[in-house]
Amino acid sequence: MSNARPLKQVILIPYWVHETLARNKLPLSECLNFDALKPLSSVNDLVCFLGMQKYCSQLMGVEGGDWSLLLQWVSSAHGQNKVFFEQTICPLERSLNVQAELQARLFAPESRMPHHAEPFYIYDITREVAGVVINPGFFTQEAGTEGYQAALIVQILKVLYAYNAYHEVAATPLFKRYLDLLSAKQLTV
């Protein structure tokens, strides 16, 4: 039996969640706490935040959805917030409107804002979770298929290497995608 710690999980965080927490002088780790985030956010913002997790494959080029945020919210929602989460947020997240909303708010060229200079920022939220704050207007079709994907993959791999053994990170689909980009000469070493 291995004593190896599981790989650090990566969640995608829309810029508006990051800005809301900063405006309220709360640490970014509060995005994992549904009870703390609910009073600060609209239903639409919460639904889009949860729905954004499905974009891991688009932004990183690897298949597979990450359930980290969903699991964090399930364990941090209590009482009426738990009922609200289960009966409102989860059903709405499955709506096709969520994808259209995210497309318009994050992945359209016209969504770009001048005060967002970088396409993303990576934060070490907790020992188990890293967060990638996605800024609007960078990851677009106009930026190309790969767009900022290569830079994002490299930065996430750096976070994973800080917490896990090389062979564990090398066994991930993300590392395989990194090798594919290297072989296609889209990355420089």
Side-chain angles (χ1 to χ4, degrees), residues 154-167:
V154 168
Q155 293 305 312
I156 291 172
L157 287 173
K158 285 180 181 179
V159 170
L160 295 179
Y161 284 131
Y163 288 89
N164 301 97
Y166 176 80
H167 70 278

Side-chain angles (χ1 to χ4, degrees), residues 7-13 32 49 52-56 59-60 62 64-70 72 120-134 152-153 155-160 164 174:
L7 278 178
K8 191 170 190 84
Q9 299 299 304
V10 177
I11 64 165
L12 299 176
I13 304 169
L32 303 174
F49 182 16
M52 188 173 175
Q53 304 317 300
K54 294 178 181 171
Y55 281 80
C56 284
L59 298 181
M60 294 180 253
V62 294
D66 184 9
W67 296 94
S68 295
L69 182 62
L70 179 67
Q72 294 284 334
F120 63 88
Y121 296 101
I122 296 184
Y123 294 93
D124 204 7
I125 298 178
T126 68
R127 188 168 169 81
E128 299 81 24
V129 179
V132 179
V133 174
I134 302 296
L152 179 59
I153 290 170
Q155 293 305 312
I156 291 172
L157 287 173
K158 285 180 181 179
V159 170
L160 295 179
N164 301 97
L174 192 62

Side-chain angles (χ1 to χ4, degrees), residues 130-141:
V132 179
V133 174
I134 302 296
N135 288 323
F138 287 94
F139 291 91
T140 64
Q141 289 180 344

Side-chain angles (χ1 to χ4, degrees), residues 1-2 4 16 25 38 42 49 51 89 103-104 116 137 155 167-168 173:
M1 187 155 134
S2 171
W16 62 82
K25 297 177 177 39
K38 182 185 175 277
S42 69
F49 182 16
I89 300 299
Q103 193 64 36
H116 291 123
Q155 293 305 312
H167 70 278
E168 294 170 326

